[in-house]
Amino acid sequence: MNQTSEQRPLRIATRASRLALWQAYYVSDLLKSISIDRPIEIVHITSEGDRDLTSPLSEFGGLGVFTREVQKAVLDGRADLAVHSLKDLPTEQAPGLQLAGIPERGPLYDVLIFPQGSAAVNSISDLPADARIGTGSLRRRAQLLNHRADLQMLEVRGNVETRLKKLDAGEYDALCLAEAGMVRLELLEQRTSLLLTPPDVYPAVGQGALGIECRADDNETGSLLNAISDESTKAATTAERSLLAFLRAGCHAPIGALSQIKDNELTLEAVVLSADGQERITATASGTFEEAAEIGIQAAQKLLDTGAGRLISTDDDS
């Protein structure tokens, strides 16, 4: 006997790290909050980025290093939807899928995390000379180097907990991580940290937000994901992703963005830097929620008009 759609489990594909699982269960709880009748199952997927924990992210070659296998599970029918950190999701829609859900955004910024027992640090200027900073992000590296050219930027891989162990073992003087991940894992309050905010450090496109995909022809799941989406977050991230797409840059390019919303007006600030942080170009564009995609294009064009194109390399994006 065939199962009805109400009886069939709704299967969520996700990477198996603790943070990715937090995100998947968060989406599961959101779906339960709209009173769906179907049971929900979590499908664990291992991505290329999870298997190779030694190569720098910028050397993987190609977009979607953390998303491809999760998307494949949806496309081949092992799962019905995929949950991603939106900042990891390429702006070009994968064939056969739709980005149907963008829930309310979480914490937005980056943080410097210091070894256990460290004294408080009030600004980037207060870091020790030649401080060793662990980060795999070109965007974070460039912006920190823009303030302090003496900082030593060292590659770091692994999940959040692995990185923190390396920090406490003395391999780094600080780690640069996303605030959202530290908050979601309830680790931020346990550590000495420094919040990095614009104009000093701009977050990544889509940072703090989740992107949920389902098959393009799955209208039922698409409707459920639309129901748990947040209008303002969707508008903000649409503008940011439109910026990135127009610049033809990947999620590891030295580009930062900040969306601010007031009275249904969306303002997008964007920054592009050289890899060494010595050149920095900014642009701003504003409009309504309905104009979100155009706002991103306008900001991108302003950046290009002032020479940002030569600062963006698409060869090492992933």
Side-chain angles (χ1 to χ4, degrees):
M1 184 175 68
N2 292 331
Q3 291 180 313
T4 66
S5 62
E6 287 76 19
Q7 295 168 324
R8 281 188 290 105
L10 189 65
R11 299 159 300 167
I12 301 176
T14 177
R15 295 164 60 204
S17 72
R18 188 172 158 224
L19 180 56
L21 288 171
W22 183 98
Q23 294 173 169
Y25 282 106
Y26 176 75
V27 170
S28 174
D29 289 342
L30 288 177
L31 289 166
K32 290 173 183 177
S33 74
I34 60 172
S35 302
I36 68 167
D37 296 325
R38 296 163 62 183
I40 297 176
E41 294 180 358
I42 306 295
V43 180
H44 294 195
I45 305 294
T46 302
S47 75
E48 180 184 1
D50 296 315
R51 288 190 295 270
D52 183 345
L53 295 178
T54 57
S55 301
L57 288 178
S58 58
E59 293 182 4
F60 272 82
L63 297 163
V65 64
F66 289 119
T67 59
R68 277 190 293 264
E69 280 93 341
V70 183
Q71 292 172 320
K72 188 173 183 292
V74 177
L75 287 169
D76 66 21
R78 284 176 287 156
D80 301 296
L81 58 103
V83 179
H84 313 282
S85 292
L86 190 56
K87 69 182 179 68
D88 295 333
L89 190 64
T91 55
E92 184 175 349
Q93 183 64 65
L97 296 177
Q98 58 174 315
L99 178 57
I102 303 179
E104 185 177 1
R105 199 171 206 163
L108 186 58
Y109 301 119
D110 292 313
V111 286
L112 284 178
I113 304 295
F114 299 96
Q116 289 282 18
S118 296
V121 175
N122 296 318
S123 72
I124 297 172
S125 301
D126 293 336
L127 293 172
D130 303 314
R132 300 164 300 155
I133 310 297
T135 175
S137 163
L138 294 179
R139 173 189 57 83
R140 290 169 176 155
R141 289 178 182 222
Q143 293 190 92
L144 288 170
L145 287 171
N146 179 255
H147 293 280
R148 289 278 304 274
D150 66 300
L151 297 176
Q152 298 183 56
M153 295 300 179
L154 305 179
E155 189 71 28
V156 61
R157 294 293 312 282
N159 60 36
V160 173
E161 293 89 348
T162 299
R163 296 182 188 202
L164 291 174
K165 288 179 182 177
K166 292 179 178 180
L167 172 69
D168 291 334
E171 295 185 32
Y172 309 95
D173 296 309
L175 293 176
C176 192
L177 299 170
E179 178 190 10
M182 292 294 292
V183 169
R184 288 164 176 166
L185 294 176
E186 299 181 355
L187 295 172
L188 189 58
E189 291 186 358
Q190 306 170 18
R191 315 287 308 205
T192 301
S193 64
L194 173 64
L195 188 65
L196 303 173
T197 59
D200 293 334
V201 178
Y202 282 81
V205 164
Q207 188 157 321
L210 303 181
I212 316 170
E213 294 181 304
C214 65
R215 286 181 291 278
D217 60 359
D218 187 351
N219 295 327
E220 181 183 2
T221 302
S223 295
L224 292 174
L225 298 181
N226 184 65
I228 62 171
S229 294
D230 177 72
E231 182 185 10
S232 61
T233 300
K234 186 174 182 179
T237 56
T238 294
E240 294 167 19
R241 287 169 62 78
S242 175
L243 165 89
L244 201 60
F246 193 83
L247 292 173
R248 299 174 61 85
C251 53
H252 289 284
I255 296 169
L258 175 67
S259 296
Q260 296 177 297
I261 294 169
K262 184 177 181 181
D263 300 329
N264 197 39
E265 178 167 283
L266 173 63
T267 298
L268 174 65
E269 299 176 25
V271 62
V272 176
L273 299 98
S274 59
D276 63 6
Q278 298 311 297
E279 294 185 77
R280 182 177 184 271
I281 299 172
T282 61
T284 302
S286 299
T288 65
F289 281 14
E290 294 74 23
E291 298 167 327
E294 181 60 31
I295 292 169
I297 292 172
Q298 289 176 6
Q301 189 61 61
K302 289 179 180 179
L303 288 169
L304 293 174
D305 289 345
T306 49
R310 60 187 169 77
L311 303 181
I312 302 168
S313 169
T314 57
D315 295 333
D316 58 3
D317 299 335
S318 56

PDB file of all heavy atoms in Angstrom, residues 113-118 163-172 175 191:
ATOM      1  N   ILE A 113      38.216  34.719  18.781  1.00  0.00           N
ATOM      2  CA  ILE A 113      38.139  33.890  19.977  1.00  0.00           C
ATOM      3  C   ILE A 113      39.554  33.651  20.484  1.00  0.00           C
ATOM      4  O   ILE A 113      40.456  33.302  19.706  1.00  0.00           O
ATOM      5  CB  ILE A 113      37.467  32.535  19.662  1.00  0.00           C
ATOM      6  CG1 ILE A 113      36.083  32.754  19.033  1.00  0.00           C
ATOM      7  CG2 ILE A 113      37.352  31.687  20.923  1.00  0.00           C
ATOM      8  CD1 ILE A 113      35.076  33.417  19.939  1.00  0.00           C
ATOM      9  N   PHE A 114      39.766  33.819  21.784  1.00  0.00           N
ATOM     10  CA  PHE A 114      41.100  33.718  22.366  1.00  0.00           C
ATOM     11  C   PHE A 114      41.219  32.458  23.232  1.00  0.00           C
ATOM     12  O   PHE A 114      40.204  31.872  23.635  1.00  0.00           O
ATOM     13  CB  PHE A 114      41.387  34.973  23.196  1.00  0.00           C
ATOM     14  CG  PHE A 114      41.349  36.239  22.371  1.00  0.00           C
ATOM     15  CD1 PHE A 114      40.194  37.019  22.310  1.00  0.00           C
ATOM     16  CD2 PHE A 114      42.452  36.612  21.625  1.00  0.00           C
ATOM     17  CE1 PHE A 114      40.142  38.156  21.528  1.00  0.00           C
ATOM     18  CE2 PHE A 114      42.414  37.760  20.838  1.00  0.00           C
ATOM     19  CZ  PHE A 114      41.254  38.526  20.789  1.00  0.00           C
ATOM     20  N   PRO A 115      42.434  32.027  23.520  1.00  0.00           N
ATOM     21  CA  PRO A 115      42.614  30.829  24.347  1.00  0.00           C
ATOM     22  C   PRO A 115      41.947  30.965  25.713  1.00  0.00           C
ATOM     23  O   PRO A 115      41.750  32.081  26.225  1.00  0.00           O
ATOM     24  CB  PRO A 115      44.142  30.734  24.486  1.00  0.00           C
ATOM     25  CG  PRO A 115      44.679  31.451  23.290  1.00  0.00           C
ATOM     26  CD  PRO A 115      43.720  32.570  23.041  1.00  0.00           C
ATOM     27  N   GLN A 116      41.614  29.813  26.274  1.00  0.00           N
ATOM     28  CA  GLN A 116      40.987  29.806  27.597  1.00  0.00           C
ATOM     29  C   GLN A 116      41.843  30.578  28.594  1.00  0.00           C
ATOM     30  O   GLN A 116      43.074  30.431  28.636  1.00  0.00           O
ATOM     31  CB  GLN A 116      40.821  28.362  28.091  1.00  0.00           C
ATOM     32  CG  GLN A 116      39.773  27.570  27.344  1.00  0.00           C
ATOM     33  CD  GLN A 116      38.358  27.907  27.797  1.00  0.00           C
ATOM     34  OE1 GLN A 116      38.109  28.947  28.416  1.00  0.00           O
ATOM     35  NE2 GLN A 116      37.413  27.043  27.499  1.00  0.00           N
ATOM     36  N   GLY A 117      41.182  31.432  29.390  1.00  0.00           N
ATOM     37  CA  GLY A 117      41.878  32.181  30.421  1.00  0.00           C
ATOM     38  C   GLY A 117      42.522  33.465  29.961  1.00  0.00           C
ATOM     39  O   GLY A 117      43.195  34.142  30.748  1.00  0.00           O
ATOM     40  N   SER A 118      42.343  33.830  28.688  1.00  0.00           N
ATOM     41  CA  SER A 118      42.956  35.061  28.165  1.00  0.00           C
ATOM     42  C   SER A 118      42.288  36.298  28.744  1.00  0.00           C
ATOM     43  O   SER A 118      41.094  36.296  29.057  1.00  0.00           O
ATOM     44  CB  SER A 118      42.843  35.103  26.637  1.00  0.00           C
ATOM     45  OG  SER A 118      43.561  34.056  26.042  1.00  0.00           O
ATOM     46  N   ARG A 163      38.841  23.309  16.048  1.00  0.00           N
ATOM     47  CA  ARG A 163      39.599  24.561  15.966  1.00  0.00           C
ATOM     48  C   ARG A 163      39.897  25.115  17.359  1.00  0.00           C
ATOM     49  O   ARG A 163      40.996  25.623  17.617  1.00  0.00           O
ATOM     50  CB  ARG A 163      38.828  25.582  15.140  1.00  0.00           C
ATOM     51  CG  ARG A 163      38.648  25.173  13.695  1.00  0.00           C
ATOM     52  CD  ARG A 163      37.930  26.232  12.895  1.00  0.00           C
ATOM     53  NE  ARG A 163      37.600  25.760  11.562  1.00  0.00           N
ATOM     54  CZ  ARG A 163      37.360  26.535  10.514  1.00  0.00           C
ATOM     55  NH1 ARG A 163      37.421  27.850  10.642  1.00  0.00           N
ATOM     56  NH2 ARG A 163      37.059  26.022   9.349  1.00  0.00           N
ATOM     57  N   LEU A 164      38.919  25.045  18.249  1.00  0.00           N
ATOM     58  CA  LEU A 164      39.129  25.561  19.603  1.00  0.00           C
ATOM     59  C   LEU A 164      40.203  24.759  20.341  1.00  0.00           C
ATOM     60  O   LEU A 164      40.999  25.327  21.103  1.00  0.00           O
ATOM     61  CB  LEU A 164      37.805  25.529  20.383  1.00  0.00           C
ATOM     62  CG  LEU A 164      36.741  26.521  19.914  1.00  0.00           C
ATOM     63  CD1 LEU A 164      35.437  26.298  20.665  1.00  0.00           C
ATOM     64  CD2 LEU A 164      37.208  27.962  20.088  1.00  0.00           C
ATOM     65  N   LYS A 165      40.251  23.451  20.105  1.00  0.00           N
ATOM     66  CA  LYS A 165      41.302  22.633  20.729  1.00  0.00           C
ATOM     67  C   LYS A 165      42.678  23.056  20.236  1.00  0.00           C
ATOM     68  O   LYS A 165      43.634  23.136  21.015  1.00  0.00           O
ATOM     69  CB  LYS A 165      41.053  21.148  20.423  1.00  0.00           C
ATOM     70  CG  LYS A 165      39.877  20.546  21.168  1.00  0.00           C
ATOM     71  CD  LYS A 165      39.681  19.086  20.783  1.00  0.00           C
ATOM     72  CE  LYS A 165      38.469  18.494  21.501  1.00  0.00           C
ATOM     73  NZ  LYS A 165      38.230  17.088  21.089  1.00  0.00           N
ATOM     74  N   LYS A 166      42.781  23.341  18.942  1.00  0.00           N
ATOM     75  CA  LYS A 166      44.060  23.801  18.385  1.00  0.00           C
ATOM     76  C   LYS A 166      44.447  25.157  18.973  1.00  0.00           C
ATOM     77  O   LYS A 166      45.624  25.413  19.251  1.00  0.00           O
ATOM     78  CB  LYS A 166      43.954  23.899  16.863  1.00  0.00           C
ATOM     79  CG  LYS A 166      43.807  22.552  16.170  1.00  0.00           C
ATOM     80  CD  LYS A 166      43.687  22.739  14.659  1.00  0.00           C
ATOM     81  CE  LYS A 166      43.585  21.382  13.964  1.00  0.00           C
ATOM     82  NZ  LYS A 166      43.473  21.532  12.483  1.00  0.00           N
ATOM     83  N   LEU A 167      43.458  26.019  19.171  1.00  0.00           N
ATOM     84  CA  LEU A 167      43.705  27.333  19.775  1.00  0.00           C
ATOM     85  C   LEU A 167      44.246  27.173  21.187  1.00  0.00           C
ATOM     86  O   LEU A 167      45.260  27.786  21.555  1.00  0.00           O
ATOM     87  CB  LEU A 167      42.404  28.144  19.790  1.00  0.00           C
ATOM     88  CG  LEU A 167      42.427  29.471  20.546  1.00  0.00           C
ATOM     89  CD1 LEU A 167      43.313  30.478  19.825  1.00  0.00           C
ATOM     90  CD2 LEU A 167      41.001  30.023  20.694  1.00  0.00           C
ATOM     91  N   ASP A 168      43.589  26.350  21.987  1.00  0.00           N
ATOM     92  CA  ASP A 168      43.994  26.180  23.379  1.00  0.00           C
ATOM     93  C   ASP A 168      45.314  25.426  23.511  1.00  0.00           C
ATOM     94  O   ASP A 168      45.985  25.507  24.543  1.00  0.00           O
ATOM     95  CB  ASP A 168      42.890  25.449  24.155  1.00  0.00           C
ATOM     96  CG  ASP A 168      41.644  26.301  24.330  1.00  0.00           C
ATOM     97  OD1 ASP A 168      41.765  27.538  24.323  1.00  0.00           O
ATOM     98  OD2 ASP A 168      40.532  25.723  24.457  1.00  0.00           O
ATOM     99  N   ALA A 169      45.687  24.696  22.446  1.00  0.00           N
ATOM    100  CA  ALA A 169      46.973  23.982  22.445  1.00  0.00           C
ATOM    101  C   ALA A 169      48.126  24.903  22.074  1.00  0.00           C
ATOM    102  O   ALA A 169      49.284  24.476  22.071  1.00  0.00           O
ATOM    103  CB  ALA A 169      46.919  22.802  21.475  1.00  0.00           C
ATOM    104  N   GLY A 170      47.822  26.158  21.742  1.00  0.00           N
ATOM    105  CA  GLY A 170      48.866  27.131  21.475  1.00  0.00           C
ATOM    106  C   GLY A 170      49.245  27.298  20.014  1.00  0.00           C
ATOM    107  O   GLY A 170      50.228  27.985  19.705  1.00  0.00           O
ATOM    108  N   GLU A 171      48.473  26.713  19.098  1.00  0.00           N
ATOM    109  CA  GLU A 171      48.807  26.835  17.674  1.00  0.00           C
ATOM    110  C   GLU A 171      48.478  28.224  17.127  1.00  0.00           C
ATOM    111  O   GLU A 171      49.021  28.634  16.093  1.00  0.00           O
ATOM    112  CB  GLU A 171      48.069  25.769  16.863  1.00  0.00           C
ATOM    113  CG  GLU A 171      48.501  24.348  17.184  1.00  0.00           C
ATOM    114  CD  GLU A 171      47.833  23.328  16.283  1.00  0.00           C
ATOM    115  OE1 GLU A 171      47.553  23.657  15.108  1.00  0.00           O
ATOM    116  OE2 GLU A 171      47.578  22.205  16.758  1.00  0.00           O
ATOM    117  N   TYR A 172      47.594  28.947  17.794  1.00  0.00           N
ATOM    118  CA  TYR A 172      47.164  30.274  17.355  1.00  0.00           C
ATOM    119  C   TYR A 172      47.035  31.173  18.569  1.00  0.00           C
ATOM    120  O   TYR A 172      46.838  30.712  19.697  1.00  0.00           O
ATOM    121  CB  TYR A 172      45.798  30.200  16.641  1.00  0.00           C
ATOM    122  CG  TYR A 172      45.729  29.166  15.548  1.00  0.00           C
ATOM    123  CD1 TYR A 172      45.228  27.893  15.808  1.00  0.00           C
ATOM    124  CD2 TYR A 172      46.159  29.442  14.254  1.00  0.00           C
ATOM    125  CE1 TYR A 172      45.161  26.921  14.814  1.00  0.00           C
ATOM    126  CE2 TYR A 172      46.093  28.492  13.249  1.00  0.00           C
ATOM    127  CZ  TYR A 172      45.597  27.230  13.540  1.00  0.00           C
ATOM    128  OH  TYR A 172      45.534  26.287  12.558  1.00  0.00           O
ATOM    129  N   LEU A 175      41.400  32.804  17.035  1.00  0.00           N
ATOM    130  CA  LEU A 175      40.679  32.283  15.874  1.00  0.00           C
ATOM    131  C   LEU A 175      39.654  33.312  15.434  1.00  0.00           C
ATOM    132  O   LEU A 175      39.057  33.995  16.271  1.00  0.00           O
ATOM    133  CB  LEU A 175      39.928  30.993  16.227  1.00  0.00           C
ATOM    134  CG  LEU A 175      40.718  29.753  16.580  1.00  0.00           C
ATOM    135  CD1 LEU A 175      39.748  28.649  16.983  1.00  0.00           C
ATOM    136  CD2 LEU A 175      41.594  29.304  15.418  1.00  0.00           C
ATOM    137  N   ARG A 191      34.110  31.810  26.413  1.00  0.00           N
ATOM    138  CA  ARG A 191      35.405  32.220  25.899  1.00  0.00           C
ATOM    139  C   ARG A 191      35.606  33.728  25.988  1.00  0.00           C
ATOM    140  O   ARG A 191      34.646  34.498  26.003  1.00  0.00           O
ATOM    141  CB  ARG A 191      35.539  31.833  24.416  1.00  0.00           C
ATOM    142  CG  ARG A 191      35.092  30.456  24.042  1.00  0.00           C
ATOM    143  CD  ARG A 191      36.014  29.366  24.511  1.00  0.00           C
ATOM    144  NE  ARG A 191      37.412  29.546  24.138  1.00  0.00           N
ATOM    145  CZ  ARG A 191      38.265  28.523  24.013  1.00  0.00           C
ATOM    146  NH1 ARG A 191      37.854  27.283  24.174  1.00  0.00           N
ATOM    147  NH2 ARG A 191      39.526  28.749  23.695  1.00  0.00           N
TER     148      ARG A 191
END
